[in-house]
Every structure is written in C-alpha cells, then in structure tokens.
C-alpha cells in the first residue's frame, strides 16, 4: 500500500502516547497510556513521577502502536516527536527514544510543537471524514491543562504558520478545572468529573461576575500582551472564598475521605457524595468558564473575520463547551470543528498528523535538538 507512514510519539505531560498516521489523514493506530492513577493521590501531575512512568511505558506503547497499525519499524517512513511545550524531563524521555529509534532505523526525525499537534487533531479527523472545507482565516482555540491560546493558522507552501493573538495571563482553563476540583475534594483530573456533575446543578445559583475572569494587563510588558487575553485564576479564588463563606469545608473533607481508596473516580461514585450546594457551585463555575471562552473566542473571530473555528485540547472534550460553541457559532454562521473526545486530550496521532506537512517539506530535525519546555508556536 502506498502513502507515507509517520510514527508519532508524545510524552509532554502525563500521557505516554504513540500512533501511526498515513498521509496526515488516516489514523492507523492510537495508543495512550494514562498516568492518572499515579498522580491522583497528589491532586496534580508530579513531574518526577511523570518522567519515571514515561520511561516505564514508552517501549511497550510504541511497540503496540506499530503492531496495531499493521506496519513494522522498517516500513515506517519517519518518526515525529513532541519537542515542547511541556515538562522538560517528560519531553526528554520521548525525544531520547525517538532519536535512538531514528538512528537505529535510519529514518528521518521530525519535531512537533504540542500545541500545533492539538490543532492538527482536528484536521486529521475532518480529512478522514472527507468533509473538511476550511476557509481561511482559520481561528483555533487550544484549551487544555497547561494552555489557553488563540491562534490564527495559515497554510503556507512549506507547512503551517501561526499567530498567537490570545492567551491566558495566569491559569489555563483546564488548570482552573483541576484546581477547583481539588479544592472541592472531587479528585484529579477535574475536567471530566466537573463536566459530569455540572448537569446536576443550577448554573445560575452562584454569580461569578465578569470581574472574576477579567484579565488585567497591569504589570505585563507590552511585548507579552496579546489582543484577546484570558484569565482564570480569579474564578478559582472566588470558588475558594465561596467554600469558606458558605461553610462547605467539612463536606469537602468528608468527600475527600470517602474517595480516598478509589483509584478510578467516576461521576457515578462522586455524585452521591455531593450536596445541592456543591453541585450548584460546580455548575455555576463551569457556566462562567464556558461563557468566557466562547465569548472571547467569538469576539476574536469577529475582529479577525475568521471563516472557520477550531476548538481543541483537553477542555474541548467538555460537553457544555461543545454545545455552547456549536449554538453560538451557528448564530454567527461560523463553522466550528472539534476533535473527537479521544483526540481532544493528549495523544500521539495529533503529533504524527502535524508532522505530515513537515515531511512533505523535508523539514527534518538534526540530532542535536533538545526539549523546549516553554516552546512557542509560530
Ligand atoms: O490536552 P490535555 O490532555 O493536556 C494538556 O496538554 O494539558 O488537557 C488536560 C486538561 C486537564 O486540565 C483536564 O481537567 C481537562 O483537560 N479536561 C476537561 C475535560 N476533559 C479533560 N476539562 C473540562 N471538561 C472535560 N470533559
Ligand atoms: Zn495537550
């Protein structure tokens, strides 16, 4: 069978992932080994543990991805790996392994920015469905545990180019989900649990004013300011204050105790431990975050006369975010695309897909490159 087969490797945070994608548009295998159980007791990712778990998982995960794709190490055309942004030690595991593999197999190596990967997750799946009609300008909201960014994306002759026109000034949206979940005793990661609990509460019960998610450029050097910025640390503090003022601390501690022994938290086992006040708070928090993300993104889309919208990254798995974007973008006649839930959160298919234009342009990495924890997407 003809075509170009790219093996993608992703180890930037707490998922060890490998995938094989043909021609940037056909997903042949997608293996993700999650470390959630390792980090859960700490309520967040512990970098040293993440590196150790990647080391343990990388060889079998890549082997399985090759096997499931019905390819072999020899038949792969190139190896793509996440260079950054992410945890330096975690990135290095994927990079070292990718380098060794490329050297041993005498295959070219391609470096990919993790955020570009999230954008290409959407392209991969839409191309696979055969129904992608991207009209430019294309605006992409990348919203995950570590990032909340707006990019204007452009396809050029030798690959893609990006302009970062918005970003969070403090916490990322996913980080706010994780921190709020932690302070409410709802386990880690917070996104999926809050997503499931929110539908059982009243989103109008607690008022979070715009001041809680308003960004301030005070003290930010001009060069670091973007026109469409976000801020999510204020709402986290507002939730904390509400918990204290409303005397909810005891119920949080009781819930933490009850959930201690459970390694895989689900909405079903957390829901019976939440009173109405907690569910209302969770629903109101989510409504405020979703409305802010949607409003600011649509405002940027209007300002830039965007004709296509992508929403991607872990938080793009959120049901209310998807529904609200779909409804409000339709009102403006703007087509909006999301990845499937599986490709919203971290995976390596998106890395292999983002590498394809670089493969076509023969844009290969030399052996000297290293991890870039704060890598910028351009
Ligand atoms: O993209 P991702 O897997 O990793 C990063 O690049 O950061 O995103 C992980 C983030 C976590 O903060 C998690 O709580 C959030 O995505 N998340 C969600 C949902 N599923 C995952 N947030 C809201 N609703 C969800 N359903
Ligand atoms: Zn990510």
């Amino acid at each position: 069978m003809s075509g170009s087969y790219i093996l993608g490797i992703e180890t930037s945070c707490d998922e060890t992932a490998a995938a094989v994608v043909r021609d940037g548009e056909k997903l042949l295998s997608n293996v993700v080994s999650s470390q959630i159980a390792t980090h859960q007791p700490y309520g967040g990712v512990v970098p040293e543990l993440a590196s150790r778990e990647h080391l343990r998982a990388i060889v079998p995960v890549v082997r399985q991805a090759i096997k499931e794709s019905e390819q072999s190490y020899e038949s792969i055309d190139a190896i793509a790996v996440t260079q950054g942004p992410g945890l330096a030690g975690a990135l290095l595991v994927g990079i070292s392994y990718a380098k060794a593999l490329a050297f041993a197999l005498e295959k070219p190596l391609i470096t990919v920015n993790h955020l570009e990967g999230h954008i290409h997750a959407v392209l991969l799946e839409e191309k696979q469905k055969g129904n992608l009609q991207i009209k430019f300008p294309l605006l992409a909201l990348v919203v995950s545990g570590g990032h909340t960014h707006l990019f204007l994306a452009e396809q050029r002759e030798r690959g893609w180019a990006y302009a970062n026109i918005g970003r969070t000034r403090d916490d990322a949206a996913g980080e706010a989900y994780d921190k709020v979940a932690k302070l409410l005793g709802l386990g880690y990661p917070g996104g999926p649990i809050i997503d499931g609990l929110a539908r059982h509460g009243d989103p109008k019960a607690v008022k979070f004013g715009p001041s809680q998610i308003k960004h301030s450029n005070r003290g930010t050097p001009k060069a670091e300011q973007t026109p469409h910025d976000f801020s999510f640390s204020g709402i986290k503090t507002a939730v904390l204050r509400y918990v204290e003022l409303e005397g909810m601390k005891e119920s949080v501690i009781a819930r933490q105790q009850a959930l201690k022994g459970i390694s895989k938290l689900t909405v079903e086992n957390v829901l019976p431990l939440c009173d109405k006040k907690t569910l209302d708070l969770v629903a109101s928090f989510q409504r405020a975050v979703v409305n802010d993300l949607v409003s600011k993104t649509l405002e940027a889309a209007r300002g830039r006369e965007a004709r296509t919208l992508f929403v991607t990254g872990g938080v793009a798995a959120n049901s209310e975010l998807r529904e609200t974007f779909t409804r409000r973008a339709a009102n403006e006649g703007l087509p909006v695309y999301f990845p499937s839930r599986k490709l919203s959160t971290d995976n390596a298919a998106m890395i292999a897909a983002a590498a394809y234009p670089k493969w076509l342009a023969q844009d290969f990495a030399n052996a000297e490159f290293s991890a870039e924890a704060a890598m910028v997407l351009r």
Side-chain angles (χ1 to χ4, degrees):
M1 206 195 295
S2 63
S4 305
Y5 295 81
I6 300 184
L7 166 69
I9 296 177
E10 152 66 39
T11 63
S12 69
C13 191
D14 60 346
E15 325 273 3
T16 315
V20 177
V21 174
R22 192 182 72 219
D23 294 337
E25 61 177 38
K26 179 90 181 101
L27 182 57
L28 300 178
S29 65
N30 181 30
V31 180
V32 180
S33 165
S34 168
Q35 305 178 358
I36 287 177
T38 304
H39 301 291
Q40 177 136 320
Y42 306 94
V45 178
V46 182
E48 289 77 5
L49 295 184
S51 309
R52 196 187 68 190
E53 292 300 310
H54 285 309
L55 273 173
R56 223 200 291 268
I58 187 83
V59 174
V61 163
V62 171
R63 190 182 298 138
Q64 196 182 335
I66 298 271
K67 185 164 169 240
E68 287 180 12
S69 71
E70 297 183 355
Q71 292 295 306
S72 64
Y73 288 98
E74 288 70 31
S75 67
I76 294 295
D77 292 293
I79 296 157
V81 66
T82 308
Q83 184 177 10
L87 303 167
L91 288 163
L92 274 175
V93 176
I95 290 174
S96 310
Y97 187 61
K99 279 185 183 178
L101 213 50
F103 179 74
L105 299 171
E106 297 182 21
K107 308 275 183 194
L109 194 54
I110 299 169
T111 53
V112 173
N113 183 304
H114 181 83
L115 303 177
E116 179 172 27
H118 277 303
I119 294 171
H120 280 259
V122 185
L123 285 164
L124 161 64
E125 290 192 308
E126 292 305 322
K127 280 194 211 159
Q128 188 157 274
K129 286 184 232 159
N131 63 358
L132 184 64
Q133 291 182 331
I134 309 181
K135 295 196 177 109
F136 292 90
L138 160 63
L139 181 67
L141 170 68
V142 181
V143 63
S144 71
H147 307 276
T148 305
H149 282 291
L150 279 172
F151 290 105
L152 273 176
E154 215 184 302
Q155 195 170 14
R156 297 206 180 138
E157 211 172 293
R158 288 180 58 83
W160 286 69
Y162 307 88
N164 186 196
I165 62 162
R167 61 171 164 259
T168 180
R169 297 257 58 107
D170 39 58
D171 292 354
E175 196 177 351
Y177 266 93
D178 296 337
K179 287 179 176 171
V180 163
K182 188 175 180 181
L183 73 88
L184 289 176
L186 300 171
Y188 173 84
I193 295 286
I194 290 183
D195 189 354
L197 294 178
R199 68 194 63 176
H200 299 277
D202 174 5
K204 297 200 183 87
V206 186
K207 298 270 173 282
F208 293 110
S211 62
Q212 257 106 28
I213 10 195
K214 192 172 69 187
H215 74 270
S216 158
N217 272 331
R218 233 181 315 139
T220 310
K222 222 172 169 60
E224 286 172 26
Q225 296 176 13
T226 52
H228 303 281
D229 284 350
F230 301 90
S231 165
F232 294 105
S233 80
I235 192 163
K236 166 202 67 191
T237 313
V239 171
L240 178 62
R241 205 168 305 129
Y242 188 87
V243 168
E244 284 166 354
L245 286 175
E246 297 289 318
M248 297 166 73
K249 266 265 154 70
E250 259 173 49
S251 74
V252 169
I253 294 168
R255 190 159 46 243
Q256 281 166 337
Q257 292 300 333
L259 293 173
K260 227 171 199 160
I262 305 175
S263 65
K264 177 130 182 54
L265 296 185
T266 61
V267 175
E268 288 67 37
N269 54 36
V270 179
L271 185 59
L273 302 168
C274 297
D275 53 11
K276 181 168 178 342
K277 220 176 172 68
T278 305
L279 294 172
D280 287 351
L281 178 58
V282 159
S284 304
F285 161 78
Q286 173 158 294
R287 177 64 55 89
V289 171
V290 164
N291 280 343
D292 185 69
L293 286 168
V294 175
S295 299
K296 286 194 182 139
T297 303
L298 291 180
E299 186 186 298
R302 262 177 250 123
R304 304 288 170 149
E305 296 182 353
R307 297 177 70 204
T308 307
L309 189 59
F310 282 9
V311 180
T312 184
V315 183
N318 188 270
S319 336
E320 190 173 340
L321 186 75
R322 285 174 179 250
E323 285 155 22
T324 312
F325 256 121
T326 305
R327 182 169 34 81
R328 288 182 52 191
N331 285 343
E332 308 203 7
L334 184 63
V336 54
Y337 298 90
F338 308 88
S340 60
R341 282 193 166 73
K342 176 99 181 136
L343 290 200
S344 293
T345 48
D346 287 351
N347 63 86
M350 66 187 201
I351 302 304
Y356 182 63
K358 298 175 203 282
W359 158 260
L360 291 178
Q362 305 274 295
D363 183 5
F364 302 139
N366 62 32
E368 277 78 54
F369 80 92
S370 191
E372 261 194 57
M375 193 175 185
V376 170
L377 179 61
R378 296 196 171 87

